[in-house]
Amino acid sequence: MTAAKHIGVYPGTFDPITKGHLDIIERGLTLFDELIVAVAESPLKAPLFDIDERLLMIRREIKKHKNVRVEKFNCLLIAYMKEKRAKTVLRGLRVISDFEYEFQMALTNRKLAPEIETVFMMTAENYAAVSSRFIKEIARLRGDVGAFVTPNVKARLKDKYFPSGR
Ligand code: ADP
């Protein structure tokens, strides 16, 4: 009998995907046979990029990995996990301030579904201060976000904030 595949789910808003997210995906791949990057629509966060734009940007960046899939989800994370037969949630930690939110979310998910475990991976030092929120603010104010996102994402941010190319 072959062992069941160990599937990890990395959920988030990814508005947009950053080098910090990509670093967590690379690290996560050392733990799982397959990783699903699960993109939440997150309407309450009023994302800059719509769900399909976010999916496209991520797919472009992870093309080289055959064992990473990118999907959207709109339901409760644990319901999605059950549907995918995945038992492990992957999340990234940057700074202490991430901890409280992540801890609460992991405990809430554990209450709802005790069989699902959350694992945290620490960001690479260079990306500890990288957040989608700050990147959007820098791009909106015409700053250079090249250190934090890939060239394609940088171009998409520019299109979004300055559609006429100005
Ligand atoms: P959410 O809306 O679920 O917080 P995000 O896209 O902001 O979605 O983040 C998804 C996950 O990636 C979270 O666990 C977050 O802590 C982690 N993350 C975001 N930026 C980084 C980074 N620079 N380094 C490591 N982890 C990160």
Side-chain angles (χ1 to χ4, degrees), residues 10-16 18-21 23-24 40 42 45 90-94 98 101-102 105 120-124 127-132:
Y10 180 29
T13 307
F14 305 102
D15 183 43
T18 69
K19 289 185 180 176
H21 291 129
D23 177 65
I24 296 295
S42 300
K45 292 192 171 175
L90 172 66
R91 295 284 288 180
L93 282 179
R94 287 163 291 190
D98 277 345
Y101 172 73
E102 294 291 341
M105 195 161 62
F120 297 96
M121 296 195 90
M122 258 173 52
T123 182
Y127 304 135
V130 176
S131 78
S132 299

Short mmCIF file of all heavy atoms in Angstrom, two decimals, residues 10-16 18-21 23-24 40 42 45 90-94 98 101-102 105 120-124 127-132, ligand 1:
data_model
loop_
_atom_site.label_atom_id
_atom_site.label_comp_id
_atom_site.label_asym_id
_atom_site.label_seq_id
_atom_site.Cartn_x
_atom_site.Cartn_y
_atom_site.Cartn_z
N TYR A 10 -1.51 26.51 1.79
CA TYR A 10 -1.00 27.83 2.21
C TYR A 10 -2.06 28.87 1.84
O TYR A 10 -2.16 29.28 0.69
CB TYR A 10 0.32 28.10 1.49
CG TYR A 10 0.99 29.42 1.81
CD1 TYR A 10 0.83 30.06 3.03
CD2 TYR A 10 1.80 30.06 0.87
CE1 TYR A 10 1.46 31.27 3.31
CE2 TYR A 10 2.43 31.27 1.14
CZ TYR A 10 2.25 31.86 2.36
OH TYR A 10 2.86 33.07 2.64
N PRO A 11 -2.89 29.25 2.81
CA PRO A 11 -3.97 30.18 2.49
C PRO A 11 -3.55 31.64 2.71
O PRO A 11 -2.71 31.93 3.56
CB PRO A 11 -5.05 29.80 3.51
CG PRO A 11 -4.28 29.37 4.72
CD PRO A 11 -2.96 28.82 4.22
N GLY A 12 -4.16 32.53 1.96
CA GLY A 12 -3.88 33.95 2.17
C GLY A 12 -4.63 34.79 1.16
O GLY A 12 -5.36 34.25 0.30
N THR A 13 -4.42 36.09 1.25
CA THR A 13 -5.08 37.01 0.33
C THR A 13 -4.17 37.28 -0.87
O THR A 13 -4.64 37.45 -1.99
CB THR A 13 -5.43 38.32 1.07
OG1 THR A 13 -6.17 37.99 2.25
CG2 THR A 13 -6.27 39.22 0.21
N PHE A 14 -2.88 37.34 -0.62
CA PHE A 14 -1.87 37.51 -1.68
C PHE A 14 -2.22 38.70 -2.59
O PHE A 14 -2.34 38.56 -3.81
CB PHE A 14 -1.73 36.22 -2.51
CG PHE A 14 -1.42 35.01 -1.67
CD1 PHE A 14 -2.40 34.09 -1.35
CD2 PHE A 14 -0.13 34.82 -1.18
CE1 PHE A 14 -2.11 32.97 -0.56
CE2 PHE A 14 0.17 33.70 -0.39
CZ PHE A 14 -0.83 32.78 -0.08
N ASP A 15 -2.36 39.86 -1.97
CA ASP A 15 -2.79 41.06 -2.71
C ASP A 15 -1.70 42.12 -2.73
O ASP A 15 -1.83 43.13 -2.04
CB ASP A 15 -4.07 41.61 -2.06
CG ASP A 15 -4.63 42.80 -2.82
OD1 ASP A 15 -4.65 42.73 -4.06
OD2 ASP A 15 -5.03 43.78 -2.18
N PRO A 16 -0.65 41.96 -3.49
CA PRO A 16 -0.30 40.86 -4.39
C PRO A 16 0.73 39.94 -3.72
O PRO A 16 1.19 40.22 -2.62
CB PRO A 16 0.38 41.61 -5.54
CG PRO A 16 1.12 42.72 -4.84
CD PRO A 16 0.26 43.11 -3.68
N THR A 18 4.18 38.45 -2.78
CA THR A 18 5.46 39.14 -2.55
C THR A 18 6.59 38.10 -2.52
O THR A 18 6.34 36.89 -2.48
CB THR A 18 5.46 39.85 -1.19
OG1 THR A 18 5.48 38.85 -0.15
CG2 THR A 18 4.25 40.75 -1.02
N LYS A 19 7.83 38.61 -2.47
CA LYS A 19 8.97 37.69 -2.33
C LYS A 19 8.91 36.96 -1.00
O LYS A 19 9.45 35.87 -0.86
CB LYS A 19 10.28 38.47 -2.49
CG LYS A 19 10.52 38.92 -3.92
CD LYS A 19 11.88 39.57 -4.07
CE LYS A 19 12.11 40.02 -5.51
NZ LYS A 19 13.40 40.74 -5.66
N GLY A 20 8.28 37.58 0.01
CA GLY A 20 8.12 36.92 1.31
C GLY A 20 7.21 35.70 1.19
O GLY A 20 7.50 34.62 1.70
N HIS A 21 6.08 35.87 0.47
CA HIS A 21 5.18 34.72 0.23
C HIS A 21 5.92 33.62 -0.54
O HIS A 21 5.79 32.43 -0.24
CB HIS A 21 3.98 35.14 -0.62
CG HIS A 21 3.00 36.06 0.05
ND1 HIS A 21 2.58 37.24 -0.53
CD2 HIS A 21 2.33 35.98 1.23
CE1 HIS A 21 1.69 37.83 0.25
NE2 HIS A 21 1.52 37.09 1.34
N ASP A 23 9.02 32.96 -0.64
CA ASP A 23 9.99 32.32 0.24
C ASP A 23 9.29 31.24 1.10
O ASP A 23 9.82 30.13 1.27
CB ASP A 23 10.63 33.39 1.13
CG ASP A 23 11.59 32.82 2.14
OD1 ASP A 23 12.63 32.28 1.72
OD2 ASP A 23 11.32 32.90 3.36
N ILE A 24 8.11 31.56 1.60
CA ILE A 24 7.37 30.58 2.41
C ILE A 24 6.95 29.38 1.55
O ILE A 24 6.99 28.23 1.98
CB ILE A 24 6.13 31.24 3.10
CG1 ILE A 24 6.58 32.32 4.09
CG2 ILE A 24 5.25 30.20 3.80
CD1 ILE A 24 7.38 31.83 5.28
N ALA A 40 -7.77 33.44 -0.96
CA ALA A 40 -9.09 33.81 -0.43
C ALA A 40 -9.57 35.07 -1.15
O ALA A 40 -8.78 36.00 -1.38
CB ALA A 40 -8.98 34.08 1.06
N SER A 42 -11.46 37.32 0.03
CA SER A 42 -11.31 38.38 1.05
C SER A 42 -12.01 39.69 0.70
O SER A 42 -11.38 40.75 0.72
CB SER A 42 -9.82 38.68 1.31
OG SER A 42 -9.14 37.56 1.77
N LYS A 45 -11.53 42.73 2.92
CA LYS A 45 -10.25 43.45 2.87
C LYS A 45 -10.17 44.38 1.66
O LYS A 45 -9.16 45.05 1.48
CB LYS A 45 -9.09 42.46 2.82
CG LYS A 45 -8.92 41.68 4.11
CD LYS A 45 -7.61 40.94 4.15
CE LYS A 45 -7.37 40.36 5.53
NZ LYS A 45 -6.18 39.54 5.61
N LEU A 90 -0.36 25.81 6.21
CA LEU A 90 0.95 26.46 6.29
C LEU A 90 0.73 27.96 6.38
O LEU A 90 -0.04 28.54 5.60
CB LEU A 90 1.75 26.14 5.02
CG LEU A 90 3.08 26.88 4.84
CD1 LEU A 90 4.08 26.46 5.92
CD2 LEU A 90 3.66 26.61 3.46
N ARG A 91 1.38 28.59 7.34
CA ARG A 91 1.34 30.06 7.43
C ARG A 91 2.75 30.57 7.65
O ARG A 91 3.63 29.84 8.12
CB ARG A 91 0.43 30.50 8.59
CG ARG A 91 -1.03 30.15 8.42
CD ARG A 91 -1.77 31.03 7.46
NE ARG A 91 -2.01 32.36 7.98
CZ ARG A 91 -2.64 33.32 7.31
NH1 ARG A 91 -3.09 33.11 6.08
NH2 ARG A 91 -2.81 34.50 7.84
N GLY A 92 2.95 31.83 7.33
CA GLY A 92 4.27 32.43 7.50
C GLY A 92 4.27 33.37 8.70
O GLY A 92 3.25 33.97 9.02
N LEU A 93 5.41 33.47 9.34
CA LEU A 93 5.55 34.43 10.45
C LEU A 93 6.70 35.37 10.12
O LEU A 93 7.78 34.94 9.72
CB LEU A 93 5.87 33.71 11.75
CG LEU A 93 4.74 33.03 12.49
CD1 LEU A 93 5.29 32.36 13.74
CD2 LEU A 93 3.62 33.99 12.86
N ARG A 94 6.45 36.65 10.29
CA ARG A 94 7.49 37.64 10.05
C ARG A 94 7.96 38.22 11.38
O ARG A 94 9.06 38.02 11.82
CB ARG A 94 6.94 38.80 9.20
CG ARG A 94 6.73 38.45 7.78
CD ARG A 94 5.84 39.45 7.13
NE ARG A 94 4.48 39.33 7.66
CZ ARG A 94 3.44 39.93 7.16
NH1 ARG A 94 3.57 40.76 6.16
NH2 ARG A 94 2.24 39.74 7.67
N ASP A 98 2.75 39.50 14.07
CA ASP A 98 1.96 38.49 13.34
C ASP A 98 1.42 37.43 14.29
O ASP A 98 0.41 36.80 14.04
CB ASP A 98 2.85 37.72 12.34
CG ASP A 98 3.06 38.45 11.02
OD1 ASP A 98 2.30 39.39 10.74
OD2 ASP A 98 3.98 38.06 10.28
N TYR A 101 -2.37 37.34 15.93
CA TYR A 101 -3.41 37.06 14.94
C TYR A 101 -3.34 35.60 14.48
O TYR A 101 -4.34 34.88 14.42
CB TYR A 101 -3.22 38.03 13.77
CG TYR A 101 -4.07 37.78 12.57
CD1 TYR A 101 -5.44 38.07 12.60
CD2 TYR A 101 -3.53 37.27 11.39
CE1 TYR A 101 -6.22 37.86 11.48
CE2 TYR A 101 -4.31 37.05 10.27
CZ TYR A 101 -5.65 37.35 10.32
OH TYR A 101 -6.43 37.13 9.21
N GLU A 102 -2.12 35.17 14.18
CA GLU A 102 -1.94 33.80 13.68
C GLU A 102 -2.31 32.76 14.74
O GLU A 102 -2.92 31.73 14.45
CB GLU A 102 -0.49 33.58 13.23
CG GLU A 102 -0.07 34.41 12.02
CD GLU A 102 -0.76 33.98 10.71
OE1 GLU A 102 -1.27 32.85 10.65
OE2 GLU A 102 -0.80 34.79 9.78
N MET A 105 -6.07 32.56 15.07
CA MET A 105 -6.67 31.88 13.92
C MET A 105 -6.42 30.38 14.00
O MET A 105 -7.32 29.57 13.75
CB MET A 105 -6.09 32.45 12.64
CG MET A 105 -6.90 32.06 11.45
SD MET A 105 -6.57 33.14 10.07
CE MET A 105 -4.87 32.83 9.83
N PHE A 120 3.87 26.83 11.15
CA PHE A 120 4.36 28.17 10.82
C PHE A 120 5.80 28.06 10.37
O PHE A 120 6.60 27.37 10.99
CB PHE A 120 4.29 29.07 12.05
CG PHE A 120 2.88 29.27 12.54
CD1 PHE A 120 2.36 28.49 13.56
CD2 PHE A 120 2.07 30.22 11.93
CE1 PHE A 120 1.06 28.64 13.98
CE2 PHE A 120 0.76 30.38 12.35
CZ PHE A 120 0.25 29.60 13.38
N MET A 121 6.12 28.80 9.33
CA MET A 121 7.52 28.86 8.93
C MET A 121 7.97 30.31 9.04
O MET A 121 7.22 31.23 8.73
CB MET A 121 7.69 28.33 7.51
CG MET A 121 7.31 26.87 7.47
SD MET A 121 7.86 26.04 5.99
CE MET A 121 9.45 25.45 6.50
N MET A 122 9.21 30.46 9.50
CA MET A 122 9.72 31.81 9.67
C MET A 122 10.29 32.32 8.37
O MET A 122 10.96 31.60 7.64
CB MET A 122 10.80 31.83 10.73
CG MET A 122 10.25 32.37 12.04
SD MET A 122 11.42 32.20 13.33
CE MET A 122 12.85 32.93 12.64
N THR A 123 9.98 33.56 8.11
CA THR A 123 10.44 34.19 6.89
C THR A 123 11.97 34.28 6.85
O THR A 123 12.62 34.28 7.89
CB THR A 123 9.85 35.62 6.81
OG1 THR A 123 10.25 36.21 5.61
CG2 THR A 123 10.28 36.48 7.97
N ALA A 124 12.50 34.42 5.65
CA ALA A 124 13.93 34.75 5.50
C ALA A 124 14.09 36.16 6.07
O ALA A 124 13.21 37.00 5.90
CB ALA A 124 14.32 34.73 4.03
N TYR A 127 13.07 39.33 4.30
CA TYR A 127 11.67 39.60 3.98
C TYR A 127 10.83 39.86 5.23
O TYR A 127 9.62 39.96 5.15
CB TYR A 127 11.08 38.44 3.17
CG TYR A 127 11.84 38.15 1.91
CD1 TYR A 127 12.17 36.86 1.54
CD2 TYR A 127 12.26 39.20 1.09
CE1 TYR A 127 12.88 36.60 0.39
CE2 TYR A 127 12.98 38.96 -0.07
CZ TYR A 127 13.29 37.65 -0.40
OH TYR A 127 14.00 37.41 -1.54
N ALA A 128 11.49 40.01 6.36
CA ALA A 128 10.75 40.15 7.62
C ALA A 128 9.88 41.41 7.61
O ALA A 128 8.86 41.47 8.31
CB ALA A 128 11.71 40.16 8.79
N ALA A 129 10.26 42.39 6.85
CA ALA A 129 9.48 43.64 6.86
C ALA A 129 8.61 43.78 5.61
O ALA A 129 8.03 44.82 5.37
CB ALA A 129 10.43 44.82 6.99
N VAL A 130 8.52 42.71 4.84
CA VAL A 130 7.79 42.81 3.57
C VAL A 130 6.32 42.46 3.77
O VAL A 130 6.00 41.36 4.23
CB VAL A 130 8.41 41.84 2.53
CG1 VAL A 130 7.61 41.85 1.24
CG2 VAL A 130 9.87 42.20 2.27
N SER A 131 5.44 43.39 3.46
CA SER A 131 4.01 43.07 3.54
C SER A 131 3.31 43.65 2.32
O SER A 131 3.70 44.70 1.81
CB SER A 131 3.39 43.63 4.82
OG SER A 131 3.16 45.01 4.67
N SER A 132 2.28 42.94 1.86
CA SER A 132 1.54 43.39 0.68
C SER A 132 1.02 44.81 0.91
O SER A 132 1.00 45.64 0.01
CB SER A 132 0.37 42.46 0.39
OG SER A 132 0.82 41.15 0.15
P1 ADP B 1 -3.99 36.97 5.06
O1 ADP B 1 -5.02 37.94 4.57
O2 ADP B 1 -4.52 35.59 5.25
O3 ADP B 1 -3.17 37.43 6.23
P2 ADP B 1 -1.63 37.43 3.44
O4 ADP B 1 -1.52 37.28 1.96
O5 ADP B 1 -1.42 38.78 4.02
O6 ADP B 1 -3.03 36.83 3.80
O7 ADP B 1 -0.59 36.45 4.15
C1 ADP B 1 -0.65 35.06 3.96
C2 ADP B 1 0.36 34.39 4.89
O8 ADP B 1 1.67 34.73 4.47
C3 ADP B 1 0.27 34.83 6.36
O9 ADP B 1 0.57 33.71 7.17
C4 ADP B 1 1.34 35.87 6.48
O10 ADP B 1 1.83 35.96 7.81
C5 ADP B 1 2.39 35.29 5.54
N1 ADP B 1 3.30 36.32 5.03
C6 ADP B 1 3.01 37.48 4.44
N2 ADP B 1 4.13 38.17 4.11
C7 ADP B 1 5.17 37.40 4.52
C8 ADP B 1 6.60 37.55 4.52
N3 ADP B 1 7.19 38.65 4.05
N4 ADP B 1 7.34 36.55 5.04
C9 ADP B 1 6.73 35.46 5.55
N5 ADP B 1 5.42 35.26 5.61
C10 ADP B 1 4.64 36.21 5.11
#
